[in-house]
Amino acid sequence: MSDVLLPKNLHEVWKIFDKSSETLVYAGGTDLLVKLASSRVPHSTPNVLVCLENIEELRNIRETDGRVRIGACVTHSRLLSHPLIRDNFPVLPKALRLLGSPPVRNMGTLGGNICTASPAGDALPALYLLDAELEISSQKGSRFIPIGQFIKGPGYAELQSGEILIAIWLDKNNDYTIHHFEKVGQRNALAISIASMAALIKLSSEGIVEKIRLAWGSVAPTIALSSEVETVLIGKPLSQVVLNEARPLLNQAISPIDDIRAKAEYRRTVAANLLIRLSRYNGHDKV
Amino acid sequence: MLNGKEIVINAEPDQRVIDLLREDLGLTGAKEGCGAGECGACTILVDNESRLSCLMLAAQLEGKTITTIEGIAKEGEFHPLQEAFIEYGAVQCGFCTPGMILSAVDLLAKNPGPTREEIKEGMSGNLCRCTGYQKIVDSVEMAVSKMGKKGRQ
Ligand SMILES: Cc1cc2nc3c(=O)[nH]c(=O)nc-3n(C[C@H](O)[C@H](O)[C@H](O)COP(=O)(O)OP(=O)(O)OC[C@H]3O[C@@H](n4cnc5c(N)ncnc54)[C@H](O)[C@@H]3O)c2cc1C
Ligand code: FES
Ligand code: FES
């Protein structure tokens, strides 16, 4: 049996960490409690479960100096309805709309999606492209780390003991005119992705790619980036021919595996199709 | 607060809310289908938002307002959603029904005039093995139009 504590502020969290050695934190519990129920947790059952969902400071979204700070325990539902997110980072709600189901989005948090560090985490490709910076705190103080350095491998995030994720910081000034996310799963709702892609694109008035960034889910141990693909697309239109030519470069950038949901080869095909489907924006510079 | 009444619960802090409701409190409306967040049969409302009681621990309920299907009828009168589900045959075995209705309550609170597509999306976390969903979506649509009329009167 574990005790379950719900601290109201960070000070109380640090006190709990001081007193008990075997603690495990959670937010919405949509990853952790599923794992606990099937006892797939690395350690045995912890003595103390610390639920962070009542900590006000981790639950708000605010703007300071052109940056938006999202508390780690903000739920996906909350992000989906928040004007700061909708207006400045449309790629994020586009991804979150496809995450789980309404009750999973009411419970699940952005911080939980990051700390779970799944290659299929649907918020992650968007956060990589938005250059999300993570605020990690412990009793000793805070540090900031880009999301790409924080997530080390499947299920493995760089959190030291006594540390928790406090907030996700995003820069407001991005001038990408197309915010895109697409995921392919086995069905529409409640599907873990077989492959997914987030894209931020800026087209010139003639429909030529001025800037483009791509991030890929479920096709590598962590979110995959594909800078060679981006480079080759700059200065060209998003035509099927051009996108098709970039396929071999995409193949080099990803390293999918076989698992219960799909074979590696199939994931490669799906990823290539996701790339080619960007041709829908050919000549249309819209979100 | 549970279904409109202030209560004090004595429970193991790490007991799952679904077990607390069904076994200790005798509220058997919420069902356990999968125990892993995938079927929605265990849906309850916590502070008016749908949540899965199989993925919550008892300690998380402290200070919260909880509504289960048992608390949806008001003064002995069915909720319009309950009436519509009965009238349009959206209940067969009934296992999914409490979760379906609570998800619909949450949906309508956020979006009182959903389109058919929005209803499907709003109920997409609830699985039904019997009805094929058609009649469930029909019922929610009917309840929407009834509730809208009432609102306008
Ligand atoms: C039915 C179902 C469907 C799902 N579908 C999807 C999907 O389509 N796409 C997708 O990406 N995910 C999906 N998920 C997974 C999950 O809902 C998300 O990853 C969610 O964002 C996790 O957030 P949480 O707050 O519930 O995490 P929790 O379970 O609370 O925590 C997850 C992990 O992160 C750690 N953690 C959480 N918060 C912090 C913090 N602030 N500091 C330090 N560590 C922390 C916990 O210790 C734990 O290891 C699904 C889950 C279920 C049950
Ligand atoms: S029993 Fe909770 S979602 Fe299936
Ligand atoms: S009526 Fe039987 S599962 Fe829906």
Side-chain angles (χ1 to χ4, degrees), chain A residues 103, chain B residues 16 18 31-43 51-55 95 125:
Chain B
R16 295 185 313 161
I18 178 86
K31 306 279 187 275
E32 177 166 2
C34 65
E38 289 175 19
C39 74
C42 67
T43 304
R51 282 188 155 231
L52 302 168
S53 62
C54 71
L55 296 181
F95 196 83

Side-chain angles (χ1 to χ4, degrees), chain A residues 24-35 52 58 72-74 76 95 98-101 104-105 107-118 120-124 150 159 163-167 183 189-193, chain B residues 34 36-39 52 55:
Chain A
L24 201 49
V25 303
Y26 73 103
T30 59
D31 275 313
L32 186 80
L33 296 184
V34 173
K35 283 184 200 156
L52 303 174
L58 303 187
C73 296
V74 173
H76 302 307
L98 303 176
L99 187 153
S101 64
V104 169
R105 294 193 288 270
M107 303 171 78
T109 65
L110 193 60
N113 201 248
I114 295 170
C115 293
T116 289
S118 160
D122 281 323
L124 304 182
F150 178 72
L159 264 182
E163 283 186 331
I164 60 171
L165 173 61
I166 298 291
K183 123 175 172 182
L190 280 168
I192 306 296
S193 80
Chain B
C34 65
E38 289 175 19
C39 74
L52 302 168
L55 296 181

Side-chain angles (χ1 to χ4, degrees), chain A residues 1-4 6 26-30 33-34 49 51 53-54 77 97 101-107 187 189-190, chain B residues 12-14 35-38 43 49-52 55-57 59-60 62 64 103 106 110 121-125 127:
Chain A
M1 210 211 68
S2 328
D3 202 0
V4 182
L6 287 107
Y26 73 103
T30 59
L33 296 184
V34 173
L49 286 167
C51 178
E53 75 175 356
N54 287 354
S77 296
R97 205 168 293 134
S101 64
V104 169
R105 294 193 288 270
N106 287 344
M107 303 171 78
R187 58 192 181 112
L190 280 168
Chain B
E12 297 294 351
D14 67 345
E38 289 175 19
T43 304
E49 237 184 11
S50 66
R51 282 188 155 231
L52 302 168
L55 296 181
M56 283 187 81
L57 302 179
Q60 288 176 258
E62 198 184 337
K64 298 280 194 308
S103 283
D106 182 7
K110 287 174 180 158
E121 161 51 35
M123 317 280 287
S124 61
L127 302 184

Side-chain angles (χ1 to χ4, degrees), chain A residues 237-246 276-280 282:
Chain A
L238 282 176
S239 68
Q240 293 224 2
V241 177
V242 166
L243 290 163
N244 226 332
E245 277 167 11
I276 290 161
R277 282 161 63 89
L278 284 178
S279 64
R280 78 178 68 175
N282 195 9

